[in-house]
Amino acid sequence: MKKIIKNGKIVTAADTYQADILIEDGKIKAIGNDLSDVYAEVIDATGQYVFPGGIDPHTHMDMSFGGTTTKDNFETGTIAAAHGGTTTIIDFCLTEKGNTLKSALDKWHEKSNERSVIDYGFHLQIVEASENVLKEIPSVIEEEGVTSFKVFMAYKNVFQADDETLFQTLATARDNGGLVMVHAENGDVIEHLTKEALKQGNTDPIYHALTRPPELEGEATGRAAKLTALADAQLYVVHVTCKEAVDQIADARSKGFRVFGETCPQYLVLDQSYMEKENFEGAKYVWSPPLRDKSNQDVLWNALKSGQLQTIGSDHCSFDFIGQKDLGKDDFTKIPNGGPFVEDRFSVLFSEGVKKGRISLNQFVDMISTQAAKLFGLFPQKGTIAPGSDADIVLFDPDAERYISAETHHMAVDYNALEGMKVTGEPVSVLSRGEYVIKDKQFVGKPGMGNFLKRSTFNKAIQKESVVTK
Ligand code: URP
Ligand code: ZN
Ligand code: ZN
């Protein structure tokens, strides 16, 4: 059905203005003043911001990791995402050595098909650069629409790939227009420090942070950036947490290299001291890279504001405190790594960023939606409010106040790492391709209404747009 959104303030990465939006067949048909159509449902957005739907470029739904499986699957996780103002996720598809990339994608399609309530795409993990894998990359890009590839530089003996794999992935991605993503921590040295800690009987959650110091994130980020420069490729560093890593990204960018970075709400508002909570509560804050000293929060805000970092991902990877995190009760290395943030990413950035004067309203939209669309080949279908774009729209009350809590959140997990935090600003209604997913804060969508997104390549995106390099 056609819809007209009236009386709201439209906010994009570039503009803020009052106008009506006509939606037809899932697309934005027109933007203008006093639009009317007798067949259209009129939505009154008085007092609300009208944002493009959030794009979360970093989620882990229904993923086996650390001896267990994430609590949120594509249904529960995307319902929570939608409540929070996110209308697109890009999830990490894991691969296995010796198997084809296509078989991994088939598995991820099985997990998500008929479950997701919002549109979604996949990044693909590269764990080995065998001849077969490298040969398959072009068809994955062209036929499957999966155009970004993730290499883990940490999690030794689990996901970690070596530098040769990273370099070959960069070179292959360059030749085919893809974007390589890295989890940048030095996994070999972490492995050594971890063994030493356990030998000394240091088993509490805080040792997760102490065995993964920021120097090892800085070192891996710098190494990945230098290999990217050597390969003349493009790199996206996921979940950047600290000055050591930001400096490496800024240095590479100042030399003109195509290096981009993401941070996450948890690193902007929480710090390492949470991991020292008593009664094993510190385990609720165990993810990688770990939380850092509080001084890094300003570094990250400044890097976002100045454009050294481009995006906000949630790194949503949810495990219950009871029954999952407690696998590591006697040994921090057995605590499944990850935290639940897909629902609160959007509001936390608005509240802590815009409301507290750290970033502008338009920068908020850029970070929460537009830059991810551009980098990952979805723009202008997604990431903006413009004629022809998908009608993925968030009607947002900028003054609503609430306290984040596991009692009220929609994620399947039994705790919220931001419990008790006051946020100002809340999505009221959320449309995905013109259909309500959330109406007046209630979920009204259906599992399976989300579509898989075949994405364009990074190279095509930069030819079209003056994107990404600010
Ligand atoms: O601890 C985390 N971040 N878990 C998810 C996997 C990853 O490293 O992104
Ligand atoms: Zn990671
Ligand atoms: Zn992750």
Side-chain angles (χ1 to χ4, degrees):
M1 183 189 188
K2 292 184 197 178
K3 294 184 176 71
I4 297 180
I5 301 174
K6 283 195 166 286
N7 308 320
K9 195 174 268 186
I10 298 172
V11 189
T12 68
D15 300 299
T16 307
Y17 60 104
Q18 198 93 25
D20 302 341
I21 300 174
L22 172 64
I23 296 168
E24 191 178 333
D25 297 330
K27 301 268 182 199
I28 295 172
K29 177 92 183 204
I31 300 175
N33 291 320
D34 303 319
L35 296 183
S36 64
D37 186 312
V38 283
Y39 298 107
E41 171 191 346
V42 173
I43 303 172
D44 182 11
T46 301
Q48 295 175 346
Y49 287 136
V50 182
F51 289 133
I55 300 177
D56 187 342
H58 188 159
T59 66
H60 304 276
M61 303 297 178
D62 198 355
M63 184 179 89
S64 298
F65 187 34
T68 184
T69 300
T70 58
K71 199 69 200 303
D72 279 302
N73 57 33
F74 276 87
E75 184 174 329
T76 63
T78 57
I79 290 173
H83 272 287
T86 291
T87 54
T88 300
I89 60 167
I90 313 179
D91 198 77
F92 285 95
C93 169
L94 297 183
T95 57
E96 281 166 25
K97 278 189 182 170
N99 288 350
T100 62
L101 300 179
K102 178 75 170 60
S103 67
L105 289 171
D106 287 346
K107 195 165 162 187
W108 241 253
H109 280 298
E110 238 171 75
K111 288 172 189 274
S112 51
N113 195 20
E114 300 302 323
R115 293 209 176 88
S116 187
V117 307
I118 54 175
D119 290 353
Y120 59 98
F122 300 147
H123 311 290
L124 192 53
Q125 180 198 11
I126 302 294
V127 68
E128 59 171 348
S130 66
E131 214 178 297
N132 285 344
V133 164
L134 295 177
K135 257 204 270 172
E136 211 186 338
I137 285 179
S139 71
V140 160
I141 291 177
E142 284 304 318
E143 289 155 32
E144 306 293 326
V146 173
T147 58
S148 42
F149 301 90
K150 165 93 169 279
V151 176
F152 286 93
M153 300 170 81
Y155 301 125
K156 198 167 167 71
N157 302 321
V158 185
F159 294 151
Q160 188 174 329
D162 58 19
D163 286 351
E164 186 182 7
T165 300
L166 173 56
F167 190 74
Q168 287 184 284
T169 305
L170 283 162
T172 308
R174 172 205 59 213
D175 292 344
N176 295 280
L179 179 60
V180 177
M181 313 166 79
V182 281
H183 171 129
E185 288 185 291
N186 184 320
D188 287 358
V189 179
I190 288 168
E191 179 74 2
H192 173 75
L193 295 178
T194 302
K195 282 184 186 151
E196 289 293 301
L198 291 180
K199 237 192 261 169
Q200 287 162 23
N202 295 326
T203 59
D204 288 348
I206 185 62
Y207 287 94
H208 177 74
L210 300 179
T211 54
R212 313 177 84 99
E215 289 81 356
L216 297 185
E217 187 182 333
E219 185 279 327
T221 305
R223 182 161 30 110
K226 287 178 183 75
L227 295 179
T228 300
L230 188 63
D232 191 20
Q234 42 271 345
L235 181 75
Y236 177 96
V237 184
V238 300
H239 52 39
V240 173
T241 73
C242 59
K243 180 174 187 322
E244 286 79 353
V246 167
D247 286 350
Q248 294 294 333
I249 292 170
D251 181 58
R253 292 174 62 81
S254 73
K255 293 174 179 146
F257 299 123
R258 300 183 296 283
V259 175
F260 309 96
E262 158 202 285
T263 190
C264 314
Q266 50 271 40
Y267 301 113
L268 293 167
V269 300
L270 302 174
D271 65 72
Q272 193 177 300
S273 66
Y274 284 79
M275 297 174 68
E276 292 174 305
K277 284 188 176 228
E278 288 182 347
N279 301 322
F280 193 62
E281 293 259 328
K284 292 178 176 174
Y285 307 89
V286 167
W287 45 77
S288 299
L291 290 171
R292 303 297 189 192
D293 179 272
K294 202 168 173 53
S295 61
N296 288 287
Q297 293 176 357
D298 278 347
V299 174
L300 295 175
W301 281 114
N302 289 335
L304 285 168
K305 193 177 168 75
S306 65
Q308 299 301 350
L309 297 179
Q310 288 72 36
T311 61
I312 303 287
S314 67
D315 194 10
H316 180 77
C317 187
S318 61
F319 298 105
D320 274 343
F321 181 55
I322 307 290
Q324 292 191 293
K325 288 283 186 184
D326 55 14
L327 291 170
K329 194 103 183 121
D330 303 314
D331 174 351
F332 71 90
T333 65
K334 298 199 165 61
I335 303 170
N337 283 204
F341 296 101
V342 78
E343 186 165 352
D344 299 309
R345 180 188 75 110
F346 195 100
S347 293
V348 167
L349 194 73
F350 181 83
S351 187
E352 291 291 312
V354 179
K355 280 286 179 182
K356 295 200 172 165
R358 291 175 168 124
I359 54 172
S360 73
L361 199 50
N362 306 104
Q363 283 178 318
F364 164 75
V365 172
D366 207 30
M367 292 163 198
I368 213 73
S369 179
T370 313
Q371 283 289 327
K374 288 178 172 179
L375 282 162
F376 294 107
L378 291 170
F379 192 83
Q381 179 190 353
K382 308 281 189 194
T384 194
I385 292 180
S389 293
D390 284 356
D392 291 358
I393 289 175
V394 178
L395 303 177
F396 192 84
D397 176 349
D399 300 315
E401 292 184 345
R402 71 185 175 100
Y403 291 88
I404 292 175
S405 175
E407 300 279 306
T408 47
H409 75 201
H410 301 86
M411 299 177 285
V413 66
D414 68 359
Y415 78 101
N416 194 307
L418 304 170
E419 185 72 33
M421 183 178 167
K422 185 179 176 185
V423 285
T424 307
E426 187 177 22
V428 177
S429 295
V430 177
L431 305 178
S432 166
R433 282 178 281 102
E435 296 299 324
Y436 279 109
V437 190
I438 306 294
K439 189 172 186 183
D440 297 327
K441 304 187 190 178
Q442 301 300 316
F443 174 64
V444 294
K446 270 201 211 78
M449 69 185 274
N451 284 348
F452 176 71
L453 297 164
K454 288 192 173 186
R455 295 179 290 117
S456 175
T457 63
F458 174 86
N459 276 9
K460 282 189 194 137
I462 56 169
Q463 279 158 16
K464 270 201 301 199
E465 309 301 330
S466 60
V467 235
V468 289
T469 40
K470 293 195 179 176

